[in-house]
Structure formats: C-alpha cells, structure tokens
Amino acid sequence: MTTATVVTGLGVTAPNGLGTEEYWKATLAGESGLGPVTRFDPAQYPSRIAGEVSGYVAEEHIPSRLMPQTDHMTRLALTAADWALHDAGIDTSALPEYGIGVVTSASGGAVEFGQRELENLWSKGKEYVSAYQSFAWFYAVNTGQISIRHKLRGPSGVLLTEQAGGIDAIGQARRHVRKGFPAVITGGVDAAVCPWGWVPQIASGLMSTVDDPERAYLPFSPDASGYVPGEGGAILIVEDEHSARERGAEHLYGEIAGYGATLDPAPGSGRPPGLRRAAENALADAGLQPADVDVVFADASGVPALDQAEAEALSGLFGPRAVPVTAPKTMTGRLLAGGAALDTATALLALRDGIVPPTVHVPQADPAHRIDLVTGAAREARLRTALVLARGYGGFNAALVVRRSA
C-alpha cells in the first residue's frame, strides 16, 4: 500500500517577505510587496509595476565561488532550498547517494544573466562573455545548482509550464516519492524583472499598464486590467510519510493528496477551457468530492476574460459562492514559474493555522463572477483541505489538492 506524500520543509523568498514565517506574517496582515520597478529603468515601457524581492543580500546566503556563475533567480532558489532543507531537518550528507532528487519549475531561465552576457557580446566582443553563460541562463539551472550544491544524485527534472509549473513540479516529485525515493526537493523560484524578461510579457497583452501599485493587479474585480509580474517563489521538501515519521520530522505541513493537469483546446475549437477538468482530476486523484474542499487558492489572472473563465469553472464545480476563494498573489504579483509553488506553500500554512489570507486591493469580487472571494482581512475557518489552481501561458492548467496531516 502506498503511503502518503507529505511536505516537511518550506523555503520562501517573496516580494513581501524573506523566509516562510516572515512571508506568512506579512500575507496575513495584507502587506503588499508590489511597487515601481527598481531593478531596471522601466520608463520606456508601458508596464512599470512589479513585485520585487527587497532586502535580499545574496552575499549573505551564497558562497563567493557561486556568485559569478549564478543569476538573481538561482541565488533566490538556492537560498529557498537551504531554508527548506533546514526546516525539514534533513542532512543531505547522511542520506544514500541516490536518495534525494530535485524537480523544479522554470519559465525562461535566468534571463537577467543571459541579457547581461549578450550585451557584452554585442557591445564589447566575445572575449567579454562569461564562460558561465554556457549554463547559467539555462532553464534547468535551478535544478542543477541545487543538486550540485547539496551533492544530490537522485532523480532530477524541470517542468516548463510557466505559472502552472510549480504544481506540475510538485506532482512529478510525488511520483518519484511513490516510486520509492524517500525525499525530493521541489517547487519553483523565478525572476524575470529585467528588459529581456519584461518585453515578452508585455507582448502577451496580459500585463497591467496601471501605475498605481494598489490598482494595477485586481483579479476578479470589475476594474481588473491585467496582471503584475513578480519574482521569487517557494521550495518544498516532499517525503514519504512513513519515512518522515520514522526519522522524526518536526513538521508535517500537509499531504499532497491529488494532482491534475490539462491543456486548453485550440482557440476557436468550441471546446471549454481545461481548468475545471484539471480540478476535477485532482479531486478524483485525492478520492474527494467538491464538498470536501474548504478553500480555493485561485490562479487569479487579473485579465477579465481569464478571470471570468476561472470563476465559471469554480461556480460550476462547487456551486455559486459555495467555497471561500482567495488570491494572496495580489501581494506578490504573478511569479511565473514560482507562483504556483508559493501558492501551495501558502495553502499549507493556511491549513496549519486555520486561516484564509486575503485578496488585497480588491474591495469585492464582481458579482457576475459568483464566487466568495476573501477580501479585506484574513478569515478564520476550519480548514482541512485546499485546492490550488494555476494556469500557464500557452494553455497549461494545473490543480493540486493539499490536505492537513492527521
């Protein structure tokens, strides 16, 4: 009989908090990390608001030998992984050589590093391009650097489904645990607040162009005008429950109970989007019914048409206003490959403490959406099961059911 896959460690680097408990405290208080872009001069671009990780000094967390070969994104990921392993109480040197794997999510890789080196190539010549450009920009770099730093030789991989990637990575990590590997480092951390990462997002037509941080990202609101990007994410340690209990793990944040993923049909096909089907598949995988879900952490695009599609999926699955829905990412922005992993960590913290974090800046949901959006302040509730939803650009849908451990 397969035992449950549980989360025993969390590491968070987010625009509104460095470290899991600092982030959680800020999130419950409704403290936003959105503001004007400072990592580059955004004056020439129509979108100028982002969720940046402030107060992070890489040299305090990353060995000097790794600094020249890592991007801001990878440094955040390495830091989050260190924190997650410490939180889980895992000494990787004490594990079997192939005993722990790494599966993370990615979108476009370390674009800030890549942009800098290509600028050197174009303006100065090939002699000025770092040898580390051969791998430092690569979309699999977070998985690789975490594996190398901790001497991990278990199964590794990277999922490229943009915002849905964090859930897909966790789903893949659970598969490895079920195959017999005791633990996997998973989740996602991203950072694309640089021109090379900014322009493709603007080209999507989905980014908000509002300059007021409190008005720029308003999912499910009548005033929704697009999303605000952010950087950061979360790294989780997932383990076989029996092994975790046997080694005396201090934290069992919850169980990864169900996972589902779908792809939207081609535009114009007449077929419905796949988000609801992903949620139904995740619930079926968990052996649960919609009535068993106590809270939904929404994808919350902030794009009116996409918000409407998600609201229809939720009201169709659960009934109108039948389950609390929240989008704490209004405090961080959408973190690309880091977003769904951070939402999953947030959902586990909500289950732990019996409280639903708020969707800030949104006074109330558009009544046409027929959802019970948690706004204003955090809401205390009896929570056992949460559904986390995510959609990635290109039609990717992912759903994850997390359940409080007994």
Side-chain angles (χ1 to χ4, degrees):
M1 179 178 177
T2 302
T3 60
T5 300
V6 295
V7 177
T8 57
L10 298 175
V12 172
T13 54
N16 63 338
L18 275 172
T20 300
E21 295 305 329
E22 181 179 325
Y23 160 75
W24 183 230
K25 180 181 178 181
T27 298
L28 292 182
E31 296 175 4
S32 175
L34 304 187
V37 171
T38 64
R39 294 190 64 80
F40 66 96
D41 182 1
Q44 63 182 308
Y45 301 103
S47 300
R48 293 178 285 271
I49 301 296
E52 297 180 344
V53 176
S54 61
Y56 177 75
V57 180
E59 290 79 5
E60 295 177 358
H61 305 280
I62 305 299
S64 58
R65 63 180 176 79
L66 287 180
M67 291 296 292
Q69 58 181 284
T70 52
D71 177 89
H72 178 58
M73 174 192 79
T74 302
R75 294 167 188 165
L76 291 175
L78 285 167
T79 301
D82 287 350
W83 288 344
L85 285 166
H86 182 266
D87 188 41
I90 289 180
D91 177 4
T92 56
S93 65
L95 292 172
E97 184 178 8
Y98 295 91
I100 185 167
V102 183
V103 181
T104 67
S105 56
S107 58
V111 292
E112 190 174 46
F113 193 106
Q115 176 179 329
R116 183 188 67 233
E117 297 308 318
L118 286 178
E119 286 176 344
N120 287 342
L121 174 65
W122 297 333
S123 63
K124 299 177 182 179
K126 63 181 185 297
E127 296 84 3
Y128 293 88
V129 177
S130 168
Y132 296 122
Q133 168 69 356
S134 60
F135 64 82
W137 67 272
F138 192 42
Y139 59 82
V141 66
N142 287 354
T143 287
Q145 288 284 17
I146 292 170
S147 299
I148 293 168
R149 176 166 169 75
H150 297 284
K151 298 180 174 61
L152 307 177
R153 302 183 66 183
S156 65
V158 57
L159 280 297
L160 288 91
T161 51
E162 208 243 1
Q163 186 81 13
I167 287 177
D168 290 331
I170 294 168
Q172 179 71 3
R174 186 180 68 154
R175 292 191 185 103
H176 289 312
V177 171
R178 287 181 165 183
K179 290 177 182 177
F181 293 93
V184 179
I185 300 173
T186 189
V189 175
D190 213 335
V193 185
C194 66
W196 208 13
W198 207 248
V199 171
Q201 295 186 75
I202 291 174
S204 73
L206 304 179
M207 279 177 66
S208 173
T209 58
V210 175
D211 281 339
D212 181 352
E214 295 188 3
R215 302 291 299 165
Y217 180 32
L218 302 173
F220 301 114
S221 166
D223 299 321
S225 61
Y227 76 91
V228 168
E231 61 184 15
I235 297 296
L236 297 77
I237 308 300
V238 298
E239 294 187 61
D240 172 80
E241 182 178 15
H242 177 75
S243 297
R245 292 188 184 278
E246 192 173 58
R247 72 172 182 83
E250 182 178 350
H251 306 294
L252 266 68
Y253 288 100
E255 175 192 354
I256 305 300
Y259 163 65
T262 60
L263 190 65
D264 286 339
S269 68
R271 297 165 57 199
L275 184 63
R276 176 173 174 175
R277 186 158 46 90
E280 290 171 338
N281 291 346
L283 287 170
D285 185 34
L288 299 175
Q289 299 297 319
D292 297 317
V293 174
D294 301 308
V295 62
V296 175
F297 284 73
D299 174 68
S301 167
V303 177
L306 294 175
D307 284 350
Q308 180 64 36
E310 182 172 22
E312 289 176 357
L314 292 174
S315 61
L317 180 60
F318 296 103
R321 303 177 183 86
V323 61
V325 176
T326 188
K329 58 170 66 71
T330 52
M331 291 172 257
T332 64
R334 291 175 68 81
L335 308 186
L336 303 179
L342 183 59
D343 272 350
T344 300
T346 310
L348 290 165
L349 293 168
L351 297 183
R352 182 193 69 179
D353 294 346
I355 190 166
V356 180
T359 306
V360 304
H361 303 149
V362 180
Q364 63 180 16
D366 187 331
H369 289 326
R370 303 192 302 162
I371 61 172
D372 176 19
L373 189 67
V374 178
T375 61
R379 182 190 298 179
E380 293 186 3
R382 294 174 60 87
L383 303 177
R384 175 164 174 75
T385 302
L387 173 67
V388 184
L389 299 177
R391 292 173 292 186
Y393 186 72
F396 301 102
N397 304 290
L400 196 72
V401 175
V402 292
R403 182 165 48 202
R404 192 173 69 241
S405 295

